Amino acid sequence: MKGYLGWLLLPLLMITMDAQAMLDVPALTVTTDEQGSESYSISIQILAVMTIITLIPSLVIMLTAFTRIIIVFAILRQAIGLQQTPSNQILVGIAVFLSIFIMAPVFEDVNQIALQPYLAETMAPKEALLTASEPFRSFMLEQTRENDLELFMRLSEHEDVDALEDVNFFVLVPAFMTSELKTAFQIGFMLFIPFLIIDMVVASVLMSMGMMMLSPLIISLPFKIMLFVLVDGWVMVMGTLAASFGLGL
């Protein structure tokens, strides 16, 4: 894996070195401070940041509330019986901004304890990265079930820890994702029940009337949409999702 990563970064490094050579500025400089820690030149930092940017979609899915929200929205659309409405772009857009709303306290903590000190050059990049992971760790621990965490600790042969805050970050992430999937399907199941009842009632009425050739979905779809609108369904769903993360409690 490291070999492939090196080949992928080599062209970018060569481009950076050529541009720096044109400006008579060294592409790589390593500075050692009094404590013995090393810091790299800004050109290498920019290269590292550009590489991390490509991982942002994966980080958004794995470390935030996005997964639970988008799965619930997809199940809700399936329960109503609408195949393409709302479209995938609309659902993803709503899920992204709802995730930002839910994760706002975490982002604010990251900004205060890691980003601002790093921009002020009072914190080293490595230290800033480790500090920025702590708010995300706290958020994920609150949403992760203990049995899921114990499973991945056992699979990774991770040693017992004195506190949950000491759990390895790469063990916590898959446990968090597993818990998010389970919670999303639980919420989706509860959303499915009222629409399933409508489908069953409509199917029974059509069979009693001898209209077996008529698809029940065609008749039940307007009733399901009307029910969802009358109970202000979108507000209820979004409120339930926000409350499932502890907001408003």
Side-chain angles (χ1 to χ4, degrees):
M1 184 64 182
K2 294 182 178 178
Y4 288 114
L5 183 59
W7 283 108
L8 291 174
L9 295 180
L10 182 59
L12 294 177
L13 181 59
M14 293 177 63
I15 294 174
T16 304
M17 294 176 64
D18 291 341
Q20 294 290 340
M22 294 176 62
L23 297 174
D24 294 328
V25 178
L28 173 60
T29 58
V30 180
T31 304
T32 304
D33 57 19
E34 297 179 354
Q35 288 76 23
S37 61
E38 297 179 345
S39 61
Y40 298 94
S41 62
I42 190 65
S43 59
I44 299 301
Q45 293 180 22
I46 292 176
L47 179 62
V49 170
M50 294 299 294
T51 303
I52 294 175
I53 287 177
T54 62
L55 302 176
I56 288 180
S58 298
L59 295 177
V60 169
I61 294 174
M62 293 187 297
L63 306 181
T64 68
F66 180 82
T67 299
R68 184 187 305 185
I69 296 171
I70 194 63
I71 290 177
V72 170
F73 283 167
I75 294 177
L76 173 63
R77 184 174 64 179
Q78 186 71 24
I80 296 177
L82 300 171
Q83 301 300 321
Q84 300 296 331
T85 304
S87 63
N88 292 331
Q89 292 84 349
I90 294 176
L91 292 183
V92 170
I94 297 174
V96 167
F97 281 95
L98 187 57
S99 298
I100 294 174
F101 172 77
I102 293 172
M103 299 293 296
V106 177
F107 295 150
E108 183 63 26
D109 290 343
V110 172
N111 179 61
Q112 292 181 357
I113 67 176
L115 181 58
Q116 293 303 323
Y118 172 71
L119 295 178
E121 298 183 357
T122 60
M123 184 177 292
K126 183 177 181 180
E127 183 183 357
L129 183 61
L130 294 176
T131 304
S133 67
E134 291 305 319
F136 286 97
R137 177 191 295 272
S138 299
F139 170 79
M140 289 189 291
L141 283 173
E142 291 177 357
Q143 307 300 326
T144 304
R145 293 176 172 83
E146 291 185 5
N147 56 344
D148 294 331
L149 188 58
E150 292 174 357
L151 169 64
F152 284 95
M153 290 181 65
R154 185 171 63 253
L155 292 176
S156 64
E157 299 181 355
H158 196 276
E159 297 180 357
D160 294 336
V161 294
D162 298 330
L164 292 177
E165 290 74 14
D166 299 329
V167 175
N168 189 293
F169 194 79
F170 295 99
V171 174
L172 176 59
V173 171
F176 169 73
M177 290 297 300
T178 303
S179 294
E180 286 295 282
L181 290 173
K182 183 176 182 179
T183 303
F185 276 89
Q186 288 177 340
I187 298 175
F189 172 77
M190 298 302 296
L191 290 174
F192 226 107
I193 292 178
F195 300 110
L196 180 61
I197 293 175
I198 293 177
D199 286 333
M200 295 175 61
V201 170
V202 171
S204 300
V205 171
L206 291 178
M207 290 185 64
S208 63
M209 297 176 62
M211 303 175 64
M212 292 177 292
M213 299 300 294
L214 183 61
S215 174
L217 295 178
I218 299 177
I219 306 300
S220 62
L221 179 59
F223 290 98
K224 290 190 287 187
I225 294 177
M226 181 181 64
L227 173 66
F228 192 69
V229 172
L230 289 177
V231 299
D232 207 357
W234 286 113
V235 173
M236 293 182 60
V237 171
M238 293 186 185
T240 300
L241 285 171
S244 68
F245 288 99
L247 271 69
L249 298 180

